[in-house]
Structure formats: C-alpha cells, structure tokens
Amino acid sequence: MQTISFAHLSLMLLPLIVVIYFYYKYTKDKKEIAYATIRMVLQLILIGYVLIFLFKTKNLLVGISILSFMLIISTTITLRITQYKNYKHYFIIFISTFLSAILHLILIIEVLRLDSFYEPRYIIPLAGMIFGNIMNVLSLCIERFEKELQRGETFKEARNISFKASMIPQINTLLAVGLVSLPGMMTGQILSGVDPLIAVRYQIMIMVMCISSGGITLIIYYKFKELFN
C-alpha cells in the first residue's frame, strides 16, 4: 500500500472547508465541525500510538482498561442525546451496551478461532466497531423514543416506532453493501492485498455483528426502561 503523506492528506480538507462554511451559514454554528474534525485527527493519531503499544504488550489488564474506557466514553456520548441525564438512565445505557458488546465479542472470538482469548490486534479494533455502532443506534433510538413519548404515544407505541426508525440505517447498509458501496473493512483488506473472497467473509461477520449488536442493545434498553419505569 502507498503511504499517505500528511501534505497529501490535507487535500481532503478542501471540500470540508466548503461544508464548514455552509454549516455556519445554515446553522450559525462555526465551531462544531471544525472542533469535531480537529478532535478526530488528534484522537486517531493518539490511538495509533496506543495500538502499537497494545499489540506489542498483549497485557490483559491493559486491554480490559482500554475496553472499559471505550465503553464509558461511548455510553457517555450516548447519554448526551437524552433529556434524562441522570445516573439511573446512564446505568440503563451502560448495561445495555455492555451486555450486547460482551455477547458479540465472545462470538467473534469463537468465529475467528483466535489462539488466545485476548488478541489485541483483533479484539480492540472490533470492540471499537461494536461500541461505535451501538452508540449510534442507541442514540437514534433514545432521541426518537423520547420524542414519541412527548407526542403522547404509549410506551409500547414509542418503542415500536423508535426501534424501527433506529434500525433503518442498519438495514439500508445490508441492502446496499456490494451493490452501492464496499465497506471500510473490506476495502482496507483488499487494498492491503487480501484475497477479495477472504475479505468478503470478514465483512459478512462485521455486517451481521453491526445489525445484531445494535438490535440486541435496543431490546435490552427497552426491557430495562420498562422495568425501572
């Protein structure tokens, strides 16, 4: 693969500058996208160095600490969407994310038939995919669920509407993959020289993981909401 220089990478900022301009023009917020972009770059550079360290050490306690940090951050970001920013609601979000993530990580370990239970080169990136996916699905769910309750819908009706709405991006992705788009993981593997048919198997695993981890998280979330309310 070609190594991308930072000078060439900066070319991608040109269309982003246009987006920032119109985002400010339409929303009067001139900081959000710029802040998010700068934070993204710094976070990815930092995690690059962290991953090098993790892959070399393979320390289980360090790995657990990293996974716990990822879990806390993803659930905290999800909490900002909700109108009810209290400890009880955070616990529901946390436990829903945790149970679904653990289930899918165990399944992935079995599918990949790893030499040991903790292989950071596989577990950390895949856990990041799981947490990120759950965070997005659950955020959509909570936002729509609370809006439906405000409109006077019953718990059951709000649950049904928000569940369907939050799963739309997941289902659309399944329908479009291979026809409209080649997913990131598959593209990365192909660019690095992996046989496309092998890359396809990995991508199937990821796609199923994404829709099921999101769906399982929502189911657990609704059950806990019903129990605590």
Side-chain angles (χ1 to χ4, degrees):
M1 290 185 65
Q2 295 289 332
T3 300
I4 304 174
S5 68
F6 281 105
H8 284 85
L9 190 59
S10 64
L11 292 174
M12 297 304 301
L13 294 176
L14 298 178
L16 181 59
I17 292 171
V18 176
V19 174
I20 292 174
Y21 169 76
F22 280 96
Y23 189 81
Y24 168 67
K25 184 177 179 180
Y26 295 158
T27 68
K28 304 306 178 185
D29 189 331
K30 60 183 177 181
K31 296 180 179 179
E32 189 169 29
I33 294 182
Y35 168 74
T37 302
I38 293 171
R39 177 168 164 173
M40 174 272 294
V41 171
L42 293 177
Q43 287 172 175
L44 286 178
I45 292 174
L46 175 61
I47 197 61
Y49 286 106
V50 172
L51 289 176
I52 291 173
F53 169 74
L54 290 175
F55 295 166
K56 288 181 178 179
T57 60
K58 293 188 177 182
N59 186 297
L60 180 58
L61 291 178
V62 174
I64 292 174
S65 299
I66 294 295
L67 292 175
S68 299
F69 177 78
M70 293 163 69
L71 173 61
I72 292 171
I73 293 298
S74 65
T75 50
T76 301
I77 292 174
T78 303
L79 185 67
R80 76 184 181 89
I81 299 299
T82 180
Q83 299 176 11
Y84 306 102
K85 298 176 175 63
N86 52 56
Y87 288 112
K88 183 176 76 171
H89 199 190
Y90 179 76
F91 171 76
I92 295 174
I93 294 171
F94 183 93
I95 198 67
S96 302
T97 302
F98 172 77
L99 292 176
S100 181
I102 285 294
L103 169 64
H104 287 85
L105 279 175
I106 292 173
L107 289 174
I108 284 172
I109 290 170
E110 181 61 29
V111 169
L112 295 178
R113 303 183 68 82
L114 301 180
D115 294 333
S116 65
F117 186 78
Y118 176 63
E119 286 286 344
R121 184 172 295 275
Y122 293 93
I123 298 302
I124 299 298
L126 290 171
M129 290 184 185
I130 293 174
F131 287 132
N133 177 71
I134 289 174
M135 178 183 68
N136 290 331
V137 175
L138 191 53
S139 295
L140 290 173
C141 160
I142 292 173
E143 195 275 339
R144 185 61 180 270
F145 180 70
E146 292 179 351
K147 288 291 176 58
E148 294 301 324
L149 289 178
Q150 287 179 350
R151 291 177 60 244
E153 300 288 0
T154 64
F155 180 94
K156 184 177 180 180
E157 291 169 335
R159 178 200 65 193
N160 294 347
I161 294 171
S162 60
F163 185 82
K164 182 176 179 61
S166 57
M167 293 296 286
I168 287 175
Q170 305 286 315
I171 296 171
N172 284 351
T173 301
L174 293 186
L175 294 172
V177 66
L179 298 176
V180 178
S181 64
L182 290 179
M185 181 178 183
M186 180 177 169
T187 301
Q189 287 184 310
I190 292 173
L191 290 175
S192 64
V194 174
D195 187 316
L197 293 179
I198 295 177
V200 163
R201 297 183 190 182
Y202 275 85
Q203 193 59 53
I204 290 172
M205 178 188 72
I206 295 300
M207 301 300 289
V208 173
M209 176 195 77
C210 285
I211 191 167
S212 62
S213 64
I216 293 295
T217 303
L218 299 187
I219 293 167
I220 297 172
Y221 175 80
Y222 291 128
K223 293 298 182 182
F224 272 99
K225 283 290 288 184
E226 194 170 15
L227 178 65
F228 282 103
N229 289 342

